[in-house]
Each structure stands twice: as structure tokens, then as C-alpha cells.
Amino acid sequence: MVSKRSKPWIHRNSRFIIAGITAVGATITAYLTIEKLTGGTVVCPVTGCDKVLESPYAIVLGLPLALFGFLAYAGMGTTAIAPWLINPDSQKELRSKLENWSWLLIFVGSVSMTIFSSYLMYIMAFEIKSLCLYCISSAICSLSLLILALIGRNWEDIGQLIFTAIIVGMITIVGTFAVYAPIHSPAAEKPGASGVTTTSTPTKVALAEHLTKVGAKMYGAYWCSHCQDQKQLFGKEAVSKLNYIECDPKGQNSQTQLCVAAGIRAYPSWDIDGQLEEGVISLENLAKLSGYQGSINFNNP
């Protein structure tokens, strides 16, 4: 009597491991998504993490990139556990088909996620030039899913698998470049340009002129969404009156050395009468801190 050959350990447990990895990835991306959508501050274990998370690459179609990452991990996790929901005794054939199709979907998804994550790692290292442990952790999760997709089962047609990977890879690369094309477009807004869409009232312009007159300075970076929020409070006309100092070397009229000399650690930062104030500050508080004596009814002409 010939005994049946038992499945390798990795084949028996690969779906459990995939489900665990997707849970880790989903947790990371869910945290980043919630903080972004609620205007919270992400706790960064290393310096420079905020620069990556506030960069233009962190927004896709007007939504946080982390949200799409969460949906991808959630989808992969659901695909991994889907066959467990089918009764293996009464619906054996259906479960077998679902296992085969789910493995193909896991492979396709992991290839796409790994390629996209690799592009983001390149951007982080060579464009933004800052370190984000959350992003690296997510990239490791994506790569781990691809490895498990390859070794987690026996693939009968390796040639077909390679062909599928090439097609998925090409689609992913083209889609990635299309999504981020506006950032590299010559017609896109230049770094350092205000991009402010709100209109200033005379009282906001008066406050901005007062801040400049008393020597107040606003330090920021062109990629910083909180800096943009601060500018939006003033409005387009008033922003042009501010003494704004661009800290990123890639920004327009960059004055990085001034930022270093001033000890700037966060964006935006305000230097008012020799005191540094970090974060977005309401116009009322700016008026108070700078000794402004004019009207503080900033929302009305």
C-alpha cells in the first residue's frame, strides 16, 4: 500500500500566513488613513517620516494613498480566507475552484502591489530623500505576499505564471506613471508656488502686512499640507504679503540654510518676536502673538 505524500508545511499554512500579513498591512494603512482624513498627526518613529507622508505622492485622486493600500490589503486578506468559508464536504468542487482562482488573484495582486511599492521606495529614496518606516513596512508586506504567492502552492504552468506577471507588471507601471503624471508635468504648479484658492478679506491682508512689518516669518515646505492649510486661512492676496521662507531644497526660492539656522523642526513654524511657534495657527492667535491692534473679524470685509 502506497501512502499519500503529505503537503509541505508552507502549502498547508500559506493562507494563514498571508491572512496575517494582510492584517499587519491593513493595520498600518488604516492608521495612516484615519490620521490623514481626520487631520491628525502621525507618530513618526524617525525624522523625515512626515515629509514622505505629506508629499504629493501620498495623495492619489484627491484621497490618501494609504486608503488604497488598506483596500488592497483588505481585498487580499478576504481572497486568502474565502475558501475557508466553503464547506469542504458538501461543496468540494466549488471549494477547489475557489482555491485555484483565489491563488491566481493573490498572485496578481501581490505582483501589482510589489511593483507599486518598489516605485514608491525609489521615490522615497531618490526624490523625497527621507525615511518612512510605515512605508517600508508596507513594502515588506507586499513583497512577502508575492513570495508566499509563489511558494505557497504548486504552480503547474510556470510559463503562464511568468506571462501573467509580465502583463500585470506592465499594466501596473503604466497606471502608476499615469496617476503621478501631474506631479512631473511642466504645466503642474511649481514647487513653492502658493496654490491658494481662498480669497482674502481686507482684514486678512492687513494682518499679513502687520506680520511682515514686525518681522514675523513663516517657515514651510512646498509639499507640506499643513503649510497649505495655513496659507488657505490667509487667502491668496494676503499670502503674497507674508514673509514666507521655503525650507525644502527643491522648493522655489529655497532658503534652507535660514531654516537650519532657525532650528526649524516642523512645518509650518512661525518666528514671531524671536519665539518659534509650530503648527497651523489661527489668525486670531497670530494677531495676539504679534501684537496686532486692528480688527480681528477676519471672515468679513
Side-chain angles (χ1 to χ4, degrees):
M1 182 176 178
V2 180
S3 60
K4 265 191 172 183
R5 187 177 178 182
S6 63
K7 280 186 177 183
W9 179 88
I10 189 64
H11 288 184
R12 297 196 307 270
N13 297 282
S14 55
R15 286 183 181 269
F16 291 98
I17 302 173
I18 288 173
I21 292 173
T22 57
V24 172
T27 300
I28 294 172
T29 51
Y31 167 64
L32 297 178
T33 300
I34 292 170
E35 292 299 325
K36 188 68 175 180
L37 292 178
T38 59
T41 302
V42 174
V43 178
C44 293
V46 295
T47 303
C49 178
D50 55 336
K51 185 175 180 180
V52 178
L53 297 175
E54 294 288 346
S55 74
Y57 294 94
I59 299 295
V60 174
L61 304 177
L63 295 171
L65 174 62
L67 173 60
F68 295 95
F70 171 77
L71 294 175
Y73 283 118
M76 291 284 278
T78 301
T79 303
I81 66 175
W84 300 343
L85 305 177
I86 305 298
N87 190 314
D89 297 321
S90 61
Q91 297 176 296
K92 187 176 181 180
E93 185 178 350
L94 175 61
R95 176 159 177 163
S96 177
K97 288 182 179 180
L98 186 58
E99 284 183 347
N100 289 329
W101 277 105
S102 62
W103 270 117
L104 182 60
L105 290 175
I106 289 171
F107 175 72
V108 168
S110 61
V111 168
S112 181
M113 290 171 69
T114 300
I115 291 175
F116 187 72
S117 293
S118 299
Y119 173 78
L120 294 180
M121 290 299 100
Y122 168 82
I123 293 298
M124 184 180 72
F126 298 102
E127 289 284 335
I128 305 175
K129 297 181 180 178
S130 286
L131 188 65
C132 174
L133 291 186
Y134 296 110
C135 308
I136 294 174
S137 299
S138 181
I140 292 174
C141 287
S142 297
L143 180 60
S144 299
L145 290 175
L146 177 58
I147 293 173
L148 282 166
L150 290 170
I151 68 174
R153 65 161 294 178
N154 283 323
W155 294 96
E156 296 178 358
D157 192 342
I158 299 300
Q160 182 66 33
L161 197 67
I162 294 174
F163 177 75
T164 301
I166 292 173
I167 296 300
V168 172
M170 291 176 63
I171 293 173
T172 302
I173 292 171
V174 171
T176 299
F177 287 159
V179 166
Y180 288 126
I183 296 177
H184 302 287
S185 172
E189 181 186 13
K190 295 181 180 179
S194 66
V196 179
T197 57
T198 54
T199 303
S200 303
T201 61
T203 50
K204 291 180 180 181
V205 173
L207 174 62
E209 291 175 338
H210 166 76
L211 288 168
T212 300
K213 184 178 179 180
V214 298
K217 303 178 184 69
M218 175 186 168
Y219 295 89
Y222 71 91
W223 45 263
C224 167
S225 62
H226 294 303
C227 300
Q228 196 69 7
D229 292 339
Q230 182 72 81
K231 292 177 181 178
Q232 293 282 48
L233 289 179
F234 278 95
K236 189 173 184 179
E237 295 81 2
V239 164
S240 65
K241 307 289 185 180
L242 292 174
N243 186 2
Y244 172 76
I245 297 176
E246 173 64 45
C247 294
D248 193 287
K250 291 185 178 180
Q252 193 175 60
N253 301 322
S254 175
Q255 301 179 72
T256 306
Q257 291 305 316
L258 290 180
C259 302
V260 173
I264 302 303
R265 299 175 302 174
Y267 305 131
S269 285
W270 285 90
D271 180 351
I272 303 175
D273 196 23
Q275 296 294 318
L276 278 180
E277 303 286 342
E278 297 180 349
V280 178
I281 304 176
S282 68
L283 301 186
E284 290 77 12
N285 281 338
L286 283 172
K288 183 178 179 180
L289 290 169
S290 64
Y292 179 65
Q293 298 299 317
S295 171
I296 59 171
N297 190 11
F298 296 112
N299 292 323
N300 293 314

